[in-house]
């Protein structure tokens, strides 16, 4: 029987130029490591990272949001870095990941929160906007398509299926972990470097990522997000998103076709699209202030 790895309650190293405190909260029956910043009575904003990042993926956007008076909470999502790691693949189904978001809103004693998600964090945000719209005041998806767009594109577009081929490799047990961990995590470092604009990630950034990936059971938990989605593919109860939504998209995304951004906005009753020409899948790192401005604009 897979074992849940409890979060070690040791604070993370928050860079000196990033406002916020590393702490732990209980939500949805799990322990989450979070970085909190901003006034306690400010409107709540949750920043959800994607694969293969952790809270640090949003470090450039924390200060601009705090400067606007928001209470910013950036969790390590389920299984990542210092958050709790359930041991069963089924624990990483999209319904559980979305319930974590609602649980975090409850943990901060709020009725609603604005949710901003990149990559997998955006997929979780879309699901939450579709199934718990009353809990979201606004939603911003960053290079993350609507779940119906993902399903329809993968089933009808061989080129996108090829781009997503790595997800099939992740379905194999144990082998991906061994391959990815080899040579001091050379494969994910190379992937991040070659799929982003030159100079996007520094040596210090990669040191932080390696430390997060290297925590006991962490990378298996991260891959379990893909394994759960491969084994369990629920269709959303509705396709229309009623929460005010902004889609932000780096147009040179090597993993997701640009058309998916436009198709995603079409499912929004109140949706907008902001594209960045000089950016890739990692747009929040490449255009940090412009992305922050777009988020603030949407929340306002």
């Amino acid at each position: 029987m897979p074992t849940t790895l409890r979060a070690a309650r040791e604070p993370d190293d928050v860079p000196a130029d990033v406002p916020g405190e590393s702490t732990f909260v209980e939500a949805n029956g799990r322990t989450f490591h979070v970085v909190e910043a901003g006034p306690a009575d400010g409107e709540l904003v949750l920043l959800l990272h994607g694969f293969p990042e952790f809270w640090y993926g949003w470090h450039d956007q924390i200060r601009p949001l705090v400067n606007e008076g928001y209470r910013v909470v950036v969790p390590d999502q389920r299984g990542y870095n210092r958050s709790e790691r359930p041991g069963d693949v089924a624990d990483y189904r999209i319904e559980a990941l979305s319930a974590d978001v609602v649980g975090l809103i409850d943990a901060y004693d709020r009725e609603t929160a604005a949710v901003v998600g990149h990559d997998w964090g955006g997929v979780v945000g879309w699901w939450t906007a579709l199934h718990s719209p009353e809990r979201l005041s606004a939603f911003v998806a960053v290079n993350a398509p609507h779940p119906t767009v993902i399903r329809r594109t993968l089933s009808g577009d061989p080129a996108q299926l090829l781009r997503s081929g790595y997800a099939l490799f992740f379905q194999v047990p144990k082998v991906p972990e061994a391959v990815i961990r080899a040579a001091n995590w050379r494969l994910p470092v190379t992937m991040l470097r070659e799929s982003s604009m030159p100079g996007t990630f520094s040596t210090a950034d990669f040191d932080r990522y390696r430390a997060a990936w290297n925590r006991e059971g962490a990378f298996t938990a991260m891959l379990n997000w893909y394994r759960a989605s491969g084994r369990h593919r629920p269709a959303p109860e509705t396709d229309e998103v009623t929460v005010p939504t902004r889609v932000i998209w780096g147009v040179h995304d090597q993993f997701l076709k640009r058309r998916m951004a436009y198709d995603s906005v079409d499912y929004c009753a109140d949706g907008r699209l902001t594209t960045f020409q000089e950016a890739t899948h990692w747009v929040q790192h490449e255009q940090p202030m412009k992305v922050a401005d777009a988020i603030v604009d949407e929340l306002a």
Side-chain angles (χ1 to χ4, degrees), residues 11-286:
D12 216 358
D13 177 24
V14 179
D17 60 342
V18 175
E21 177 186 2
S22 167
T23 187
F24 293 83
V25 299
E26 303 297 320
N28 193 30
R30 304 287 180 183
T31 303
F32 292 87
H33 170 260
V34 303
V35 171
E36 302 174 339
D41 60 350
E43 294 181 42
L44 182 62
V45 180
L46 299 180
L47 303 180
L48 306 180
H49 65 81
F51 178 90
E53 302 196 85
F54 61 111
W55 77 262
Y56 182 74
W58 287 111
H59 72 279
D60 282 323
Q61 284 72 42
I62 296 175
R63 184 176 296 280
L65 287 166
V66 168
N67 288 346
E68 295 294 325
Y70 291 104
R71 178 62 166 173
V72 182
V73 174
V74 197
D76 288 328
Q77 293 207 78
R78 177 182 294 223
Y80 280 79
N81 193 34
R82 296 185 181 276
S83 285
E84 187 174 321
R85 289 186 278 283
D88 196 324
V89 170
D91 290 321
Y92 297 89
R93 291 180 175 184
I94 188 66
E95 299 95 330
L97 305 173
S98 176
D100 289 343
V101 176
V102 175
L104 284 164
I105 297 172
D106 289 338
Y108 285 89
D109 197 26
R110 306 300 180 92
E111 291 296 323
T112 63
V115 171
V116 182
H118 171 249
D119 185 76
W120 260 112
V123 175
V124 173
W126 280 111
W127 194 268
T128 309
L130 287 166
H131 294 88
S132 302
E134 74 283 357
R135 305 306 305 273
L136 270 58
S137 58
F139 172 50
V140 180
V142 183
N143 281 73
H146 185 290
T148 300
V149 172
I150 295 174
R151 186 176 70 253
R152 292 180 177 176
T153 305
L154 287 175
S155 64
D157 188 334
Q160 180 57 58
L161 189 62
L162 184 63
R163 289 192 187 196
S164 304
Y166 62 91
L168 296 177
F169 173 57
F170 290 167
Q171 301 301 316
V172 180
K174 297 185 179 180
V175 174
E177 287 92 325
V179 172
I180 291 168
R181 188 177 290 111
N184 195 26
W185 306 95
R186 181 173 62 187
L187 188 61
V189 166
T190 300
M191 179 276 292
L192 285 167
R193 182 180 288 123
E194 294 187 353
S195 63
S196 61
M197 292 293 181
T200 296
F201 296 100
S202 68
T203 299
D205 291 335
F206 287 131
D207 287 344
R208 288 182 177 275
Y209 287 121
R210 287 190 185 96
W213 300 336
N214 208 40
R215 302 196 193 286
E216 182 184 1
F219 216 88
T220 293
M222 293 160 63
L223 295 181
N224 280 346
W225 284 52
Y226 289 92
R227 290 164 179 158
S229 70
R231 300 177 190 181
H232 176 68
R233 302 178 183 180
E237 295 174 0
T238 179
D239 289 333
E240 185 182 41
V241 177
T242 57
V243 177
T245 299
R246 173 82 60 114
V247 176
I248 295 174
W249 206 269
V251 300
H252 297 290
D253 191 323
Q254 293 184 18
F255 308 107
L256 300 167
K257 299 184 81 170
R258 187 190 315 184
R259 178 172 56 82
M260 300 174 83
Y262 296 91
D263 291 346
S264 295
V265 174
D266 288 343
Y267 283 104
C268 300
D270 180 12
R272 286 150 294 286
L273 173 63
T274 301
T275 60
F276 291 96
Q277 294 295 325
E278 299 301 319
T280 71
H281 187 73
W282 314 103
V283 59
Q284 79 274 30
H285 298 281
E286 296 156 337

